[in-house]
Structures are given as C-alpha cells and as structure tokens.
Amino acid sequence: MNMNTNSLSYEQEWLNAYNRAISEEQWIPIYPSSADFQQDHRERQEPLTFVLIHGSWADASFWDGIAAELSKKGHTVYVPEYPGHGADTNKNVTHAVITKSIADFIVSKNLHNVVLVGHSFGGSLVQTVAQIVPDRLKRLVFLDAFVLKDGEMLVEELPPAAQEAFQQLRQSSNNDTIMLPFPLFRETFVNLASLKLAQSIYSHVTPEPAKPFYEKLDLKKFYSLNIPKSYLYLTEDNALPQGDGYGWHPHMSSRLGVFRLIKDHGDHISTAKTEPARLAQKIYEAGRD
C-alpha cells in the first residue's frame, strides 16, 4: 500500500482506533434479531448536529434540499456562508479568512458534538477548521472533497493542463478570480444533469476567489487529530479525473487513515439538486455513530 508520510500510518490508525474503543468501552452490544427491531432501527435516526460547508463555484444554497431533508429527520443543521461567496461581493479573501469565519460561527453558536461536512473545496476547510475547534467536533465528513497533504496547495491536486487553464483564467480576470467556462462545468460538475438543468445551475455560478487555491496549508495538526472521519464518494463525480493519480476515492480518501467509506450514485453538483433526500440519508450514514 502506498502510504502518505503526512498522515499516521494505516496500521497506527488502526491501533489508535482500537485503543480508543478499549479505553472508552465502545463495544457494540449484540441484540436479538427481530423484524420489528430492524424496521424500527431503519426508521429512527439518532439526532445529530450538522454544519455543512459548500465548495467552490457555489454558495450556501447548494445545501438547501439536503439541509431540509436532514431537518425533517430531526437533525439540527447549520449552513454558514463564508467570505467571498453568496451576497459577499469582495473576492479578495484567503483560505485563512474563510477558515476563521467558519470556526467563529461554530463558537458563536456554542456548538458541540458537530458533524462537520465539507464538499469539494470545503474538504480543505474541514481540515483547517478542525485544527482550530477540534474539541467541538464529533466527526469529519468529506463529500467528494479535497483532503490535502501537509504543506500542499489545492491547485497542486489538479492535472497539469487544468493548472495551466486555471492560471490563465486567473490572469484574465480583473479581480483575481477564476470562472469556469460552461462547457467545462457541464461535462465535469453536472455530467448527470439535463442540458436545461445544467444551464440553470450555471446561471447562478459566480467567479471563485483564486487566492485560496494557491495557498500552502499547514496541516500538521490535522494529521495528529483523533476525530473520526468518513468519506462519501459519489461514483459518477467527474470534477476531478478518475484514476491515474487523481480523483476523490481512493486518491483523496486514503489520506484519512482509518475512515468510514460510503458510496453512492451521483455527480459533483446536480445530484444535490435532483436527489437531496438520498444524499441526506448518505450524509447521515457517514455522520452517525
């Protein structure tokens, strides 16, 4: 197995998980099997507190349908918007500024036992936010999300041709942003959508601040944390090339050491709009104990 030197070894992660289970007596009781119990178990969900972090070329409305479905199941859901997105037209923001805004939100709401969920670029924010408020987090969930190595820039995870295109788009903007051309967005971010839906989603896309893509992140503390982690992988997500040293799973997910893997059908953005109930269920499966 190709091990990442920025994280604990896979074997050490296993040992740590085992030791935590022993010290906290986290043994799973065995219940008698019964149809009634199994039906009840399927219908009831343990109430959780979710904080949902969106990705690039999106805003907090990305989560509208999913957040509504989670709320219907009795969960508490927060969807903070962060600087440079939504109604904020100032695109001169950094990764650190965005990170601080999310950490401050969690503290200001006095949230604890949070299931912190990051989509796409939001995965790098889960990593940095976890370094600031680790005692308030119950589990980290990465939804087709970046898991960066210590000292890495997000742009370094893109193929060389994409890196060159991003640099050209950045240089051609007048406010240090990157705007995805529709043909690229259509084939990679919303590849399962109809053309009409793809055009509708794209009509709400705004240029993305470029600076956070080009900042080297100090993630040493993240890779020392013992917070449980999950990776939710949507198998038709083509926003990153699948295979050849790129992609969401296993390329990104394997950096988490020991983690819970949940797979489902979907693309990068349009599935959240068309099938929010199904994605909400998968996010719950990723976030529950």
Side-chain angles (χ1 to χ4, degrees):
M1 180 178 294
N2 182 21
M3 302 307 302
N4 177 5
T5 58
N6 290 283
S7 62
L8 296 174
S9 71
Y10 189 67
E11 292 78 7
Q12 187 61 50
E13 285 275 3
W14 268 101
L15 182 60
N16 289 348
Y18 175 81
N19 288 336
R20 286 199 303 273
I22 293 293
S23 64
E24 299 171 12
E25 298 183 350
Q26 292 180 346
W27 296 105
I28 301 174
I30 299 175
Y31 296 96
S33 177
S34 75
D36 289 342
F37 171 78
Q38 292 171 2
Q39 179 65 25
D40 181 62
H41 185 66
R42 281 195 300 267
E43 292 177 353
R44 295 172 59 187
Q45 295 187 358
E46 59 172 307
L48 298 173
T49 298
F50 289 97
V51 173
L52 309 177
I53 308 301
H54 68 78
S56 302
W57 297 286
D59 56 30
S61 67
F62 170 83
W63 298 108
D64 283 355
I66 293 170
E69 294 293 338
L70 288 170
S71 296
K72 286 179 187 177
K73 295 292 186 180
H75 305 296
T76 302
V77 185
Y78 296 90
V79 188
E81 187 56 273
Y82 52 77
H85 298 75
D88 185 6
T89 58
N90 176 22
K91 301 294 185 176
N92 186 26
V93 297
T94 65
H95 201 285
V97 165
I98 296 173
T99 296
K100 184 177 185 301
S101 75
I102 298 169
D104 287 349
F105 177 89
I106 291 172
V107 172
S108 70
K109 298 292 184 182
N110 196 26
L111 303 182
H112 294 273
N113 294 317
V114 169
V115 178
L116 185 62
V117 182
H119 174 245
S120 192
F121 168 75
S124 68
L125 294 171
V126 167
Q127 290 180 278
T128 52
V129 170
Q131 296 185 133
I132 299 177
V133 290
D135 57 319
R136 294 175 178 266
L137 305 179
K138 178 184 180 71
R139 181 174 283 271
L140 309 178
V141 177
F142 296 80
L143 168 56
D144 282 1
F146 286 92
V147 181
L148 299 184
K149 296 179 288 186
D150 177 41
E152 188 178 32
M153 297 186 294
L154 186 145
V155 74
E156 291 176 311
E157 287 295 339
L158 304 180
Q163 292 188 37
E164 182 179 352
F166 270 37
Q167 187 62 35
Q168 291 175 356
L169 290 167
R170 182 185 190 185
Q171 292 174 348
S172 66
S173 73
N174 58 10
N175 59 351
D176 198 20
T177 60
I178 297 171
M179 183 61 181
L180 289 180
F182 176 72
L184 179 62
F185 180 82
R186 196 272 178 276
E187 301 300 338
T188 60
F189 278 57
V190 289
N191 44 295
L192 295 182
S194 67
L195 177 59
K196 183 178 180 180
L197 177 58
Q199 291 170 331
S200 175
I201 295 173
Y202 187 75
S203 69
H204 298 285
V205 171
T206 59
E208 182 70 16
K211 286 186 177 66
F213 292 167
Y214 293 86
E215 297 175 47
K216 292 183 180 293
L217 301 184
D218 183 346
L219 296 170
K220 293 180 183 65
K221 184 175 180 180
F222 171 79
Y223 283 108
S224 71
L225 297 175
N226 288 323
I227 304 171
K229 306 170 186 70
S230 299
Y231 205 95
L232 174 50
Y233 171 49
L234 303 183
T235 54
E236 286 76 37
D237 188 335
N238 200 36
L240 283 183
Q242 302 214 20
D244 296 326
Y246 299 102
W248 305 115
H249 172 74
H251 178 67
M252 294 290 177
S253 61
S254 63
R255 297 172 178 176
L256 297 176
V258 173
F259 67 98
R260 180 184 303 165
L261 175 63
I262 305 292
K263 290 185 179 182
D264 204 7
H265 164 78
D267 67 13
H268 200 61
I269 288 184
S270 71
T271 305
K273 306 295 184 182
T274 59
E275 301 185 68
R278 186 164 57 80
L279 274 191
Q281 174 62 29
K282 292 302 177 181
I283 289 172
Y284 169 72
E285 291 172 10
R288 67 188 173 189
D289 289 331

PDB file of all heavy atoms in Angstrom, residues 7 16 63 99 133 141 148-149 155 158 210 242 285:
ATOM      1  N   SER A   7       0.448  11.691   7.029  1.00  0.00           N
ATOM      2  CA  SER A   7      -0.535  11.179   7.966  1.00  0.00           C
ATOM      3  C   SER A   7       0.069  10.025   8.731  1.00  0.00           C
ATOM      4  O   SER A   7       1.144   9.525   8.429  1.00  0.00           O
ATOM      5  CB  SER A   7      -1.783  10.700   7.217  1.00  0.00           C
ATOM      6  OG  SER A   7      -1.446   9.641   6.352  1.00  0.00           O
ATOM      7  N   ASN A  16      -4.693   3.043  17.025  1.00  0.00           N
ATOM      8  CA  ASN A  16      -5.300   4.138  17.785  1.00  0.00           C
ATOM      9  C   ASN A  16      -6.802   3.938  17.935  1.00  0.00           C
ATOM     10  O   ASN A  16      -7.372   4.181  19.008  1.00  0.00           O
ATOM     11  CB  ASN A  16      -5.028   5.468  17.097  1.00  0.00           C
ATOM     12  CG  ASN A  16      -3.577   5.901  17.207  1.00  0.00           C
ATOM     13  OD1 ASN A  16      -2.817   5.330  17.984  1.00  0.00           O
ATOM     14  ND2 ASN A  16      -3.186   6.898  16.424  1.00  0.00           N
ATOM     15  N   TRP A  63     -26.779  23.516  -0.327  1.00  0.00           N
ATOM     16  CA  TRP A  63     -27.267  22.557   0.655  1.00  0.00           C
ATOM     17  C   TRP A  63     -28.768  22.640   0.916  1.00  0.00           C
ATOM     18  O   TRP A  63     -29.278  21.864   1.752  1.00  0.00           O
ATOM     19  CB  TRP A  63     -26.544  22.762   1.981  1.00  0.00           C
ATOM     20  CG  TRP A  63     -25.070  22.542   1.950  1.00  0.00           C
ATOM     21  CD1 TRP A  63     -24.088  23.500   2.020  1.00  0.00           C
ATOM     22  CD2 TRP A  63     -24.381  21.280   1.888  1.00  0.00           C
ATOM     23  NE1 TRP A  63     -22.851  22.912   1.995  1.00  0.00           N
ATOM     24  CE2 TRP A  63     -22.991  21.547   1.914  1.00  0.00           C
ATOM     25  CE3 TRP A  63     -24.826  19.952   1.808  1.00  0.00           C
ATOM     26  CZ2 TRP A  63     -22.026  20.539   1.871  1.00  0.00           C
ATOM     27  CZ3 TRP A  63     -23.863  18.949   1.761  1.00  0.00           C
ATOM     28  CH2 TRP A  63     -22.484  19.238   1.788  1.00  0.00           C
ATOM     29  N   THR A  99     -11.508  30.039   6.801  1.00  0.00           N
ATOM     30  CA  THR A  99     -11.423  29.099   7.917  1.00  0.00           C
ATOM     31  C   THR A  99     -11.874  29.749   9.213  1.00  0.00           C
ATOM     32  O   THR A  99     -12.671  29.179   9.969  1.00  0.00           O
ATOM     33  CB  THR A  99      -9.980  28.587   8.077  1.00  0.00           C
ATOM     34  OG1 THR A  99      -9.605  27.841   6.916  1.00  0.00           O
ATOM     35  CG2 THR A  99      -9.836  27.715   9.304  1.00  0.00           C
ATOM     36  N   VAL A 133     -10.989  24.125  16.207  1.00  0.00           N
ATOM     37  CA  VAL A 133     -12.021  23.772  17.194  1.00  0.00           C
ATOM     38  C   VAL A 133     -12.191  22.256  17.297  1.00  0.00           C
ATOM     39  O   VAL A 133     -13.310  21.751  17.240  1.00  0.00           O
ATOM     40  CB  VAL A 133     -13.368  24.448  16.855  1.00  0.00           C
ATOM     41  CG1 VAL A 133     -13.301  25.942  17.082  1.00  0.00           C
ATOM     42  CG2 VAL A 133     -13.796  24.142  15.417  1.00  0.00           C
ATOM     43  N   VAL A 141     -16.764  14.700   7.875  1.00  0.00           N
ATOM     44  CA  VAL A 141     -17.293  14.005   6.698  1.00  0.00           C
ATOM     45  C   VAL A 141     -16.846  14.761   5.448  1.00  0.00           C
ATOM     46  O   VAL A 141     -17.078  15.962   5.322  1.00  0.00           O
ATOM     47  CB  VAL A 141     -18.825  13.911   6.736  1.00  0.00           C
ATOM     48  CG1 VAL A 141     -19.357  13.254   5.455  1.00  0.00           C
ATOM     49  CG2 VAL A 141     -19.286  13.123   7.966  1.00  0.00           C
ATOM     50  N   LEU A 148      -6.127  17.514   1.559  1.00  0.00           N
ATOM     51  CA  LEU A 148      -4.804  17.950   1.141  1.00  0.00           C
ATOM     52  C   LEU A 148      -3.715  17.425   2.067  1.00  0.00           C
ATOM     53  O   LEU A 148      -3.948  17.190   3.256  1.00  0.00           O
ATOM     54  CB  LEU A 148      -4.748  19.475   1.089  1.00  0.00           C
ATOM     55  CG  LEU A 148      -5.709  20.149   0.105  1.00  0.00           C
ATOM     56  CD1 LEU A 148      -5.472  21.656   0.100  1.00  0.00           C
ATOM     57  CD2 LEU A 148      -5.565  19.580  -1.298  1.00  0.00           C
ATOM     58  N   LYS A 149      -2.520  17.275   1.511  1.00  0.00           N
ATOM     59  CA  LYS A 149      -1.361  16.891   2.296  1.00  0.00           C
ATOM     60  C   LYS A 149      -0.811  18.125   3.008  1.00  0.00           C
ATOM     61  O   LYS A 149      -1.034  19.262   2.594  1.00  0.00           O
ATOM     62  CB  LYS A 149      -0.299  16.276   1.382  1.00  0.00           C
ATOM     63  CG  LYS A 149      -0.738  14.979   0.716  1.00  0.00           C
ATOM     64  CD  LYS A 149       0.343  14.409  -0.195  1.00  0.00           C
ATOM     65  CE  LYS A 149       0.504  15.223  -1.456  1.00  0.00           C
ATOM     66  NZ  LYS A 149       1.461  14.595  -2.413  1.00  0.00           N
ATOM     67  N   VAL A 155      -4.411  23.664  -5.736  1.00  0.00           N
ATOM     68  CA  VAL A 155      -4.222  23.621  -7.187  1.00  0.00           C
ATOM     69  C   VAL A 155      -3.256  22.510  -7.594  1.00  0.00           C
ATOM     70  O   VAL A 155      -3.294  22.023  -8.735  1.00  0.00           O
ATOM     71  CB  VAL A 155      -3.757  24.993  -7.709  1.00  0.00           C
ATOM     72  CG1 VAL A 155      -2.298  25.256  -7.340  1.00  0.00           C
ATOM     73  CG2 VAL A 155      -3.984  25.125  -9.208  1.00  0.00           C
ATOM     74  N   LEU A 158      -4.627  19.250  -9.154  1.00  0.00           N
ATOM     75  CA  LEU A 158      -5.221  19.257 -10.487  1.00  0.00           C
ATOM     76  C   LEU A 158      -4.202  18.771 -11.519  1.00  0.00           C
ATOM     77  O   LEU A 158      -2.995  18.966 -11.351  1.00  0.00           O
ATOM     78  CB  LEU A 158      -5.674  20.675 -10.853  1.00  0.00           C
ATOM     79  CG  LEU A 158      -6.647  21.361  -9.898  1.00  0.00           C
ATOM     80  CD1 LEU A 158      -6.978  22.758 -10.416  1.00  0.00           C
ATOM     81  CD2 LEU A 158      -7.897  20.548  -9.680  1.00  0.00           C
ATOM     82  N   ALA A 210      -9.493  33.291  -6.260  1.00  0.00           N
ATOM     83  CA  ALA A 210      -8.372  32.421  -6.647  1.00  0.00           C
ATOM     84  C   ALA A 210      -7.377  32.171  -5.525  1.00  0.00           C
ATOM     85  O   ALA A 210      -6.771  31.095  -5.466  1.00  0.00           O
ATOM     86  CB  ALA A 210      -7.654  33.034  -7.851  1.00  0.00           C
ATOM     87  N   GLN A 242     -10.879  10.620 -12.832  1.00  0.00           N
ATOM     88  CA  GLN A 242     -10.918   9.390 -12.046  1.00  0.00           C
ATOM     89  C   GLN A 242      -9.752   8.498 -12.454  1.00  0.00           C
ATOM     90  O   GLN A 242      -9.606   8.139 -13.619  1.00  0.00           O
ATOM     91  CB  GLN A 242     -12.253   8.677 -12.266  1.00  0.00           C
ATOM     92  CG  GLN A 242     -13.441   9.559 -11.906  1.00  0.00           C
ATOM     93  CD  GLN A 242     -14.603   8.775 -11.312  1.00  0.00           C
ATOM     94  OE1 GLN A 242     -14.448   7.672 -10.822  1.00  0.00           O
ATOM     95  NE2 GLN A 242     -15.775   9.364 -11.365  1.00  0.00           N
ATOM     96  N   GLU A 285     -25.602   8.501   7.192  1.00  0.00           N
ATOM     97  CA  GLU A 285     -24.866   7.246   7.363  1.00  0.00           C
ATOM     98  C   GLU A 285     -23.377   7.513   7.570  1.00  0.00           C
ATOM     99  O   GLU A 285     -22.710   6.784   8.318  1.00  0.00           O
ATOM    100  CB  GLU A 285     -25.070   6.354   6.137  1.00  0.00           C
ATOM    101  CG  GLU A 285     -26.492   5.820   6.015  1.00  0.00           C
ATOM    102  CD  GLU A 285     -26.743   5.089   4.699  1.00  0.00           C
ATOM    103  OE1 GLU A 285     -25.762   4.836   3.956  1.00  0.00           O
ATOM    104  OE2 GLU A 285     -27.901   4.776   4.409  1.00  0.00           O
TER     105      GLU A 285
END
